[in-house]
């Protein structure tokens, strides 16, 4: 493994290692018979993604499910190329029939069929969409018919973009978890994050979340945004989903072609009840995530926790824990590299708070300029 790169004072570092070989979209009829000198086929990478939670009583559409429902999602991709779509039902208790499906008006098939069953707890990946290739950064429309009755649906609550379910506007995406493309020419990255990665603090439909801005800075990169608002490093939540320890294998390690994972979690452990007061527990959790990533052949990057004085639940004691965790992340060789979001966002005159120009107004979530600062912290020269 390449040695650790020193971390500049206000810059984050990010670099990736090659991942294992993944299946191509169009496989040879008999892979074992293919000659060793055959040219490499395009390899899929996740160009758009979202991480699922289970619906609660405050999510009536997902909790009740659909009968002959039509879900229309408008998705901003990162890398382009040939397309296939992926569905998941991580929290389901019964199978759901998916289809017909169209992507930008092109019919989608599953092993040649227009409909397929998505098993409870499983995922379902389509065939490559015939006649469709997209450019980097394309806006893709996916229409999914769910004949139902489906029962409760696994979903992502707030993508900070508008979609429709049976014609009604919603920020939620039901069952759809990813779009895979074959055109990644740069880094292939997953962001395991919370509301900051998800996009809180940025306008809906503006694609100003920092993972989107990073993808625009790195043409040909495939960036999967796995942020969940309220998500924690250590503990699970009925509303905000399993913590990072519990969801890492499903949300991160299952992604095709992945080379690097960036972990940006921890602030919710500091201020959500029960509050975490032991920095060593958080660092131990980071070390476990890093170990699991490396065991899967990935490079792992850790982000420091940004300041949040001004947030309704902030206390000086929480800030002391945050600073201890950050110091260990910077100096303790926990990760292969460090993205120093704290240094990029903090007010030098008051390091416990965000620089006012970067604050969305609540003290915790950066606004669009803050998201730009985060994206700029992840430098191209450290990516592979």
């Amino acid at each position: 493994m390449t040695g650790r790169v020193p971390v500049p004072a206000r810059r984050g570092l990010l670099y990736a290692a090659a991942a294992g070989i993944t299946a191509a979209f169009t496989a040879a009829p008999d892979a074992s018979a293919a000659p060793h000198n055959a040219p490499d086929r395009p390899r899929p990478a996740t160009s758009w993604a979202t991480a699922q939670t289970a619906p609660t009583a405050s999510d009536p559409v997902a909790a009740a499910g659909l009968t002959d429902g039509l879900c229309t999602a408008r998705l901003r991709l990162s890398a382009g190329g040939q397309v296939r779509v992926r569905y998941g039902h991580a929290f389901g208790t019964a199978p759901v029939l998916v289809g017909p499906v169209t992507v930008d008006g092109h019919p989608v098939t599953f092993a040649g069929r227009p409909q397929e069953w998505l098993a409870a707890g499983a995922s379902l990946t389509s065939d490559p969409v015939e006649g469709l290739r997209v450019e980097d950064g394309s806006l893709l429309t996916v229409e999914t018919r769910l004949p139902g009755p489906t029962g409760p649906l696994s979903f992502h609550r707030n993508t900070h973009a508008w979609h429709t379910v049976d014609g009604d506007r919603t920020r939620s995406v039901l069952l759809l978890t990813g779009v895979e493309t074959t055109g990644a020419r740069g880094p292939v990255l997953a962001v395991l994050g919370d509301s900051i990665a998800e996009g809180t603090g940025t306008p809906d439909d503006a694609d100003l979340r920092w993972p989107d801005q990073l993808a625009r800075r790195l043409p040909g990169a495939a960036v999967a945004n796995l942020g969940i608002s309220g998500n924690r490093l250590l503990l699970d939540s009925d509303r905000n989903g399993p913590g990072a320890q519990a969801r890492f294998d499903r949300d991160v390690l299952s992604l095709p072609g992945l080379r690097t994972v960036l972990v940006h979690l921890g602030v919710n452990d500091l201020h959500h009840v029960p509050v975490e007061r032991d920095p060593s527990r958080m660092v131990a959790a980071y070390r476990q995530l890093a170990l699991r990533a490396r065991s899967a052949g990935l490079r792992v990057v850790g982000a420091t926790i940004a300041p949040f004085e001004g947030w309704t639940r902030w206390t000086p004691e929480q800030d002391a824990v945050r600073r201890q965790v950050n110091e260990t992340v910077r100096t303790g060789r926990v990760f292969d590299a460090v993205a120093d979001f704290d240094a990029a966002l903090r007010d030098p005159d008051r390091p416990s708070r965000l620089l006012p120009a970067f604050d969305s107004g609540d003290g915790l979530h950066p606004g669009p300029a803050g998201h730009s600062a985060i994206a700029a912290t992840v430098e191209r020269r450290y990516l592979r």
Side-chain angles (χ1 to χ4, degrees), residues 47 89 98 140 182-183 198 243 247 286 334 383:
S47 180
H89 201 8
V98 175
L140 201 71
T182 57
E198 188 190 64
R247 71 183 180 103
Y286 287 144
V334 177
L383 302 176

Side-chain angles (χ1 to χ4, degrees), residues 66-360:
L66 301 174
T67 299
D68 194 27
L70 180 63
C71 304
T72 302
R74 300 179 75 245
L75 316 173
R76 181 66 66 184
L77 303 186
S78 48
Q82 195 175 21
V83 171
R84 65 185 186 188
V85 294
R86 185 176 65 249
Y87 295 86
H89 201 8
F91 303 93
T93 58
V96 174
L97 185 62
V98 175
V101 176
T102 64
V103 175
D104 280 0
H106 295 258
V108 174
T109 58
F110 304 89
R113 297 183 293 272
Q115 294 178 304
E116 189 55 272
W117 288 97
L118 168 60
S123 64
L124 173 67
T125 302
S126 78
D127 303 326
V129 181
E130 290 190 13
L132 178 65
R133 295 188 68 88
V134 297
E135 301 295 325
D136 293 350
S138 293
L139 186 64
L140 201 71
T141 300
V142 180
E143 291 191 343
T144 305
R145 179 70 66 181
L146 299 176
T150 64
L153 294 168
S154 306
F155 80 133
H156 186 93
R157 184 173 288 108
N158 188 355
T159 63
H160 298 278
W162 285 101
H163 319 283
T164 62
V165 174
D166 288 338
D168 295 327
R169 298 180 80 217
T170 178
R171 295 181 180 89
S172 299
V173 171
L174 309 179
L175 295 185
L176 185 65
T177 59
V179 176
E180 299 169 7
T181 61
T182 57
R185 308 177 305 284
V188 181
L189 171 70
V191 177
L192 183 69
D194 50 32
S195 57
I196 295 176
E198 188 190 64
T200 301
T202 66
D204 292 337
D205 285 330
D207 301 317
L208 292 175
R209 299 164 289 249
W210 75 260
D212 295 311
Q213 297 198 48
L214 178 62
R216 287 196 291 273
R217 284 185 52 232
L218 307 173
V223 181
N225 186 341
L226 304 175
I228 298 176
S229 184
N231 203 232
R232 296 178 64 146
L233 177 65
L234 291 169
L235 296 180
D236 301 342
S237 163
D238 289 342
R239 179 165 178 80
N240 303 317
Q245 305 293 303
R247 71 183 180 103
F248 190 77
D249 290 11
R250 180 186 65 242
D251 288 352
V252 176
L253 298 186
S254 65
L255 298 183
L258 189 64
R259 299 172 192 160
T260 302
V261 55
L262 189 151
V263 178
H264 183 214
L265 287 162
V267 70
N268 292 317
D269 297 76
L270 299 177
H271 71 89
H272 280 190
V273 177
V275 171
E276 181 53 59
R277 295 183 173 86
D278 184 352
S280 68
R281 281 176 49 83
M282 296 180 66
V283 171
Y286 287 144
R287 291 190 189 279
Q288 281 298 308
L289 292 178
L291 175 63
R292 289 159 69 184
R294 293 178 187 127
S295 296
L298 304 178
R299 293 291 181 142
V300 58
V301 178
T304 52
I305 304 171
F308 64 104
E309 182 182 358
W311 180 245
T312 54
R313 291 189 291 270
W314 180 89
T315 68
E317 293 76 19
Q318 294 165 1
D319 196 62
V321 175
R322 180 187 70 87
R323 286 185 279 108
Q324 290 178 66
V325 170
N326 284 349
E327 184 61 20
T328 304
V329 167
R330 292 186 183 105
T331 64
R333 297 185 177 273
V334 177
F335 299 104
D336 298 326
V338 175
D340 202 341
F341 293 0
D342 172 37
L345 295 174
R346 69 191 178 207
D347 185 343
D349 296 326
R350 192 165 181 169
S352 58
R353 73 177 183 183
L354 296 171
L355 192 71
F358 292 158
D359 190 351
S360 68

Side-chain angles (χ1 to χ4, degrees), residues 12-39:
L13 307 183
L14 179 59
Y15 56 95
I21 296 175
T22 58
F25 274 12
T26 308
D30 181 0
S32 63
H36 290 294
N37 60 353

